[in-house]
Amino acid sequence: MRVLGLPEFLHKPKRTVLRALSDYDTVLSIDTMRAEVAEEAIAVGASIVNDVSGGLADSDMSRLIADVRVPYVVMHWRGFSDSMQKLAVYEVTAKEVRHELAERIEKLTKAGVEIDQLILDPGLGFAKEPDHNWDVLQAIESFEKLQRPLLVGASRKRFLGTLLNDGDRDRDVKEREAATIAVTTMLAERKVWGVRVHNVRDSRDAIEVVTRWGKK
């Protein structure tokens, strides 16, 4: 199980940071919906593209990913942040999320992206109310049907704050780490490919415990 993530680099001074990081023996992921940004980041050392729109926000992204042949994280997405919660309407959440990810797989492979490049993200918190996120997590093993690695980003998200509501307000984002690690532990037990987190060390510790526990 992997812990990945690097924020989007949009300006030249920050791109020099990405270039410097690429000198280390590590995996760098660029988080962007923009093909232009992804292309420039790859040129200076990024080796994974994480696109929260799954290629829907920029029609040039699929062409780029097909050309550069880097791993591509495809997230479940229904719209931009200013409107996505209006689109949080489901009858059977996990089934619909799986179906929409399967549609993205089909579109991307038809555009020339190799199936082996694709990593899927169910998009917790994106066009989903708190209960929708729990529906997805409770059915996370069903995403194996898509036959692609799964990356989950639950770290400190609103649905955890809602769960831990202190009576008059949701738990503050800085006080959701224990809940995040609990989710990481559950996902590790289910052998999910990777998680996106804020506190890397504690998440790795949790994964080490699960891994050791599972050894015969």
Side-chain angles (χ1 to χ4, degrees), residues 5 64 68-69 79 102 116 133 140 198:
L64 172 68
V68 297
R69 300 296 181 193
D116 289 345
N133 298 299
I140 202 69
H198 294 84

Side-chain angles (χ1 to χ4, degrees), residues 4-209:
L4 301 172
L6 204 68
E8 181 171 338
F9 286 81
L10 293 175
H11 305 293
K12 287 183 179 179
K14 290 185 178 180
R15 289 192 190 117
T16 62
V17 173
L18 185 56
R19 187 184 294 278
L21 288 171
S22 69
D23 292 338
Y24 293 88
D25 184 21
T26 189
V27 176
L28 301 179
S29 169
I30 180 69
D31 187 347
T32 183
M33 297 186 289
R34 305 175 187 178
E36 180 184 8
V37 173
E39 185 171 20
E40 293 191 24
I42 291 165
V44 294
S47 53
I48 296 177
V49 175
N50 187 96
D51 181 355
V52 298
S53 80
L56 290 169
D58 186 340
S59 59
D60 290 332
M61 186 66 89
S62 57
R63 172 200 55 78
L64 172 68
I65 299 302
D67 287 345
V68 297
R69 300 296 181 193
V70 299
Y72 182 49
V73 180
V74 179
M75 196 189 80
H76 175 257
W77 189 80
R78 286 185 169 183
F80 293 98
S81 57
D82 60 350
S83 61
M84 67 180 181
Q85 290 313 115
K86 297 177 183 177
L87 304 172
V89 179
Y90 303 88
E91 292 186 9
V92 183
T93 311
K95 181 179 179 180
E96 291 172 54
V97 171
R98 286 198 313 272
H99 175 72
E100 290 169 31
L101 283 173
E103 288 182 332
R104 295 309 306 143
I105 292 172
E106 182 179 5
K107 294 284 187 182
L108 289 163
T109 53
K110 283 184 177 179
V113 178
E114 295 289 340
I115 188 70
D116 289 345
Q117 290 178 254
L118 301 180
I119 299 163
L120 305 181
D121 181 342
L124 299 183
F126 289 79
K128 296 173 186 66
E129 296 298 338
D131 283 348
H132 296 142
N133 298 299
W134 291 114
D135 290 343
V136 169
L137 287 172
Q138 289 167 337
I140 202 69
E141 290 165 302
S142 69
F143 284 80
E144 292 178 5
K145 296 176 183 178
L146 298 174
Q147 298 183 313
R148 300 308 312 137
L150 197 65
L151 175 65
V152 180
S155 185
R156 302 181 186 176
K157 286 192 172 177
R158 182 172 64 92
F159 76 100
L160 297 176
T162 300
L163 175 71
L164 303 174
N165 186 286
D166 293 322
D168 58 350
R169 65 179 182 87
D170 287 356
R171 183 73 61 83
D172 185 82
V173 65
K174 295 179 181 179
E175 299 175 347
R176 301 173 189 171
E177 194 58 42
T180 295
I181 293 170
V183 173
T184 294
T185 301
M186 298 290 283
L187 292 170
E189 287 180 340
R190 287 154 180 78
K191 304 190 184 305
V192 167
W193 177 82
V195 291
R196 296 181 68 186
V197 299
H198 294 84
N199 187 327
V200 174
R201 181 177 180 177
D202 287 356
S203 295
R204 287 182 62 89
D205 288 351
I207 293 167
E208 287 291 336
V209 170

